Amino acid sequence: MKQIGATCALIERTLGKSDAFRKVDEGLYVVHQGSAYVTISVLDAGKKEGHEKPIVRIYAQVVSGVRPEASLLRQLLVLNGRMRFGAFAYVPEGDVVLFVHSMLGGEKMDPKELLATVGDVAIIADGYDDRIVARYGGQRMQDLVEESAMQVLMGDPDEELAFPEPDHDDGKTPR
């Protein structure tokens, strides 16, 4: 548990100065870069052979609602073989393509490695999202976030605009 706290503190010190960084919950963070939202989660790896270093999982949702065609899945596997680190993954719930990389946490986790990993995951997600959407459909994470924000701002389009009645009578307003 001590190592998880040390890992979270290091992540917050390293990334916390950036306006793109947000702490979502304990051990869960998001960094917005380009059209990508990079999620950082700190996971307890359990105690094996005396080690209790947590796993830091860094991933970006590249595309959601994509058609899982065999050619896309094959292309992602080929790309995985060419990546210097990390890998593409497909999640059937939501038809989501992710780019994922994990590293060891702990008090000796390298802040430069963390920054490089977050940056590289964002660059890869940002670089492939438009290509995948153009060929296989779906939406980039940026588009999903903007769409959700617009729905919150605009409310239900079927809902009538209601203006409240004044709650006081100043004697000057005709009724």
Side-chain angles (χ1 to χ4, degrees):
M1 199 66 171
K2 174 184 164 198
Q3 291 291 329
I4 289 177
T7 302
C8 291
L10 190 143
I11 289 169
E12 292 172 24
R13 270 194 320 274
T14 304
L15 301 172
K17 297 175 190 125
S18 169
D19 290 337
F21 175 80
R22 295 285 179 270
K23 181 176 180 177
V24 177
D25 203 351
E26 204 57 46
L28 183 63
Y29 311 92
V30 174
V31 177
H32 178 215
Q33 185 174 325
S35 63
Y37 286 84
V38 178
T39 302
I40 304 160
S41 63
V42 180
L43 308 167
D44 184 359
K47 292 184 181 185
K48 289 188 178 181
E49 299 175 26
H51 297 287
E52 60 175 71
K53 285 188 179 182
I55 300 295
V56 179
R57 184 172 176 183
I58 302 167
Y59 63 95
Q61 180 174 309
V62 181
V63 179
S64 178
V66 68
R67 293 185 307 270
E69 296 178 18
S71 59
L72 168 65
L73 302 177
R74 181 183 183 284
Q75 208 168 17
L76 294 176
L77 284 172
V78 170
L79 286 169
N80 284 346
R82 295 181 184 157
M83 293 291 163
R84 65 185 178 106
F85 78 93
F88 285 97
Y90 175 75
V91 180
E93 297 79 26
D95 293 320
V96 175
V97 173
L98 301 174
F99 187 77
V100 183
H101 181 72
S102 296
M103 57 192 285
L104 286 176
E107 55 199 22
K108 294 184 182 182
M109 184 172 73
D110 184 352
K112 289 179 184 176
E113 183 182 353
L114 173 66
L115 283 170
T117 301
V118 170
D120 285 354
V121 168
I123 288 167
I124 290 166
D126 193 23
Y128 282 94
D129 58 3
D130 292 320
R131 295 181 217 178
I132 293 171
V133 168
R135 186 159 180 191
Y136 299 101
Q139 286 184 297
R140 302 175 312 155
M141 185 63 177
Q142 174 81 26
D143 300 329
L144 284 171
V145 169
E146 288 174 2
E147 186 179 284
S148 293
M150 287 305 294
Q151 287 175 350
V152 168
L153 287 173
M154 302 304 286
D156 184 357
D158 297 330
E159 200 175 285
E160 261 187 62
L161 288 179
F163 295 98
E165 293 293 323
D167 60 348
H168 68 280
D169 184 7
D170 60 7
K172 298 177 185 171
T173 309
R175 292 206 177 222

